[in-house]
């Protein structure tokens, strides 16, 4: 059973676990479990996707219970009126806060995007962040005798594919556990020392207007037990700094 964070006759919001695809994809043809189908079977009703979360990212995932409601919610995402907050553990010490304004080229898949325009200009992409905690481990990684990490609150202002993961790589603070845009040496250390098998990125909170009730909803997800266990293991006081 997937954790349901909010449900009424119009929408359902779940806490998607890491490693679960939102819907069927040619990129992961071997996968047999998808959030849309699992939620449909769980609540006994067809559901409509209104946004996406990467497979390795966990957290708040909103679905509509009708095509009409899906269109209204999708419009909010398109107009960038939805506020999103992510939590991520990254390599190195980051500034107290910053805004990453760095355009990103569209990521095209060789199989599914064969007919897409291949030479599009980079699209605007903006991510704001705040540093919640910083810590150092007495574990050598690469040429350094110790390793440093920061826990961040990330607020994307745009919604490009892999935006947070690519933006953190751009400023040389990749997200721990990111096998595509991350640092392999640090990923290996976390796997060997802390049994990490996932991306340490969570869609923690989302605020949007209910498409029918016309009131603001703020939905919060858990950090997940495995993320919390990692933070506890590296002496990050997670309960004190993450709401």
């Amino acid at each position: 059973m997937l954790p349901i964070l909010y449900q009424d006759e119009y929408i359902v919001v779940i806490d998607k676990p890491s490693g679960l695809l939102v819907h069927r994809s040619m990129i992961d043809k071997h996968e047999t479990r998808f959030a849309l189908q699992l939620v449909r079977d769980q609540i006994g009703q067809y559901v409509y996707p209104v946004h996406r979360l990467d497979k390795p990212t966990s957290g708040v995932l909103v679905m509509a219970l009708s095509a009409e409601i899906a269109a209204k919610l999708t419009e909010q995402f398109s107009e960038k009126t939805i506020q999103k907050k992510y939590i991520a553990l990254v390599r190195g010490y980051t500034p107290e806060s910053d805004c990453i304004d760095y355009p990103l080229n569209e990521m095209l898949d060789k199989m599914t995007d064969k007919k897409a325009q291949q030479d599009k200009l980079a699209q605007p992409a903006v991510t704001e962040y705040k540093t919640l905690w910083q810590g150092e481990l007495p574990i050598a990684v690469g040429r350094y005798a110790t390793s440093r990490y920061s826990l961040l609150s990330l607020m994307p202002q745009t919604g490009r594919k892999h935006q947070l993961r690519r933006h953190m790589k751009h400023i040389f603070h990749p997200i721990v556990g990111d096998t595509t845009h991350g640092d392999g040496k640090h990923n290996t250390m976390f796997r060997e020392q802390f049994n990490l098998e996932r991306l340490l990125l969570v869609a923690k909170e989302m605020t949007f207007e209910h498409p029918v009730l016309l009131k603001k909803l703020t939905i919060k997800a858990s950090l997940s037990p495995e993320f919390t266990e990692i933070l506890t293991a590296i002496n990050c006081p997670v309960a004190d700094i993450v709401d």
Side-chain angles (χ1 to χ4, degrees), residues 21 28-29 35 40 50-51 64 81 97 108 111 132 141 147 165 178 189 192 197 203 206 214 217 220 222 228-229 235:
L21 284 170
D28 288 279
K29 293 189 290 185
R40 176 199 63 194
V50 296
H51 68 114
T81 58
S97 63
L108 300 177
M111 292 186 296
L132 303 176
V141 178
S147 49
R165 297 160 66 183
D178 191 340
M189 185 275 281
E192 293 175 348
E197 298 292 344
M206 186 179 296
L214 303 181
L217 289 179
K220 298 182 180 182
S222 69
T228 301
E229 288 172 8
N235 298 315

Side-chain angles (χ1 to χ4, degrees), residues 142-167:
R143 67 179 187 272
Y144 299 103
T146 61
S147 49
R148 294 178 171 182
Y149 301 95
S150 299
L151 188 70
L152 305 183
S153 175
L154 298 159
M155 290 76 70
Q157 306 303 304
T158 51
R160 307 306 174 198
K161 188 175 182 180
H162 294 187
Q163 175 176 313
L164 299 180
R165 297 160 66 183
R166 295 166 73 188
H167 267 176

Side-chain angles (χ1 to χ4, degrees), residues 140-143 149 182-192:
V141 178
R143 67 179 187 272
Y149 301 95
D183 185 311
K185 293 180 180 179
H186 287 262
N187 292 345
T188 297
M189 185 275 281
F190 267 80
R191 185 166 55 251
E192 293 175 348

